[in-house]
Amino acid sequence: IVALIAGLGGATALFAQPAAHSSPPPVVATPCPQADTACVPPPVAREVRGVWVASVRNLDWPSRPGLPPSLAKAELIALMDRAAALGLNAVLLQVRPAGDALYASKIEPWSEYLTGRQGVPPAPLWDPLQFAVEQAHARGLELHAWFNPYRAKEPSAKGPLASTHIARRHPELVKKYGTQL
């Protein structure tokens, strides 16, 4: 965020610094010319230092479809441990890569990237999102669920679409775009 604010420089409205000798006036946005050193960006309330963890194509987690839950959990624990060791404070976990879910859902089918076959729950049954939240919070990390709201099928998906998938339930809502739905 700081880099973004600094990168915007004088092209945006920044905030004037209050006088030190009296009660601070209300914060007023003022346009600041690039060379004006009296203009300062607003203070950053907190810094987000996070990592994106992609599940589509098994890019980051899980490392491959159909992992036994014990191995999938071990991989998540290793990711959370590494994020905490690096001083990060947030993990953005992709939990809905392509009209499917890496969590228990009454709306979307289980993800092929988790179980190896779309619509098939993990065995033994577990909720990866709940587990990830618990593991993140145990390390003082925020967990942000990352949804891909538009992609319905990615070319790396090998199996058939589950009967509960949006493209099967409402094919009129899905359009082909290149090799994707």
Side-chain angles (χ1 to χ4, degrees), residues 27-176:
V27 176
V28 177
T30 57
C32 298
Q34 188 75 24
D36 187 346
T37 58
C39 297
V40 295
V44 176
R46 68 174 190 70
E47 182 178 71
V48 175
R49 297 176 314 277
V51 61
W52 293 79
V53 178
S55 58
V56 70
R57 288 185 252 144
N58 297 101
L59 289 173
D60 300 315
W61 179 85
S63 63
R64 68 178 196 273
L67 280 180
S70 60
L71 291 178
K73 288 178 180 181
E75 287 183 358
L76 266 177
I77 288 169
L79 281 165
M80 300 297 175
D81 285 346
R82 183 72 173 142
L86 290 170
L88 303 180
N89 60 15
V91 173
L92 294 93
L93 179 64
Q94 186 178 37
V95 297
R96 192 174 178 274
D100 53 3
L102 281 90
Y103 57 91
S105 172
K106 293 178 182 174
I107 300 170
E108 305 297 346
W110 283 99
S111 179
E112 165 180 342
Y113 300 111
L114 177 68
T115 66
R117 182 159 181 195
Q118 192 178 82
V120 174
L125 186 62
W126 68 296
D127 188 327
L129 179 55
Q130 179 183 345
F131 182 79
V133 168
E134 291 166 359
Q135 294 301 312
H137 290 180
R139 291 159 180 78
L141 301 167
E142 297 176 2
L143 194 286
H144 297 261
W146 166 21
F147 282 56
N148 282 91
Y150 300 114
R151 182 172 48 224
K153 187 172 183 182
E154 211 272 337
S156 67
K158 304 298 182 213
L161 295 173
S163 62
T164 55
H165 190 275
I166 187 77
R168 298 270 311 268
R169 288 184 292 126
H170 295 285
E172 73 279 6
L173 299 177
V174 179
K175 304 294 180 210
K176 188 168 175 109

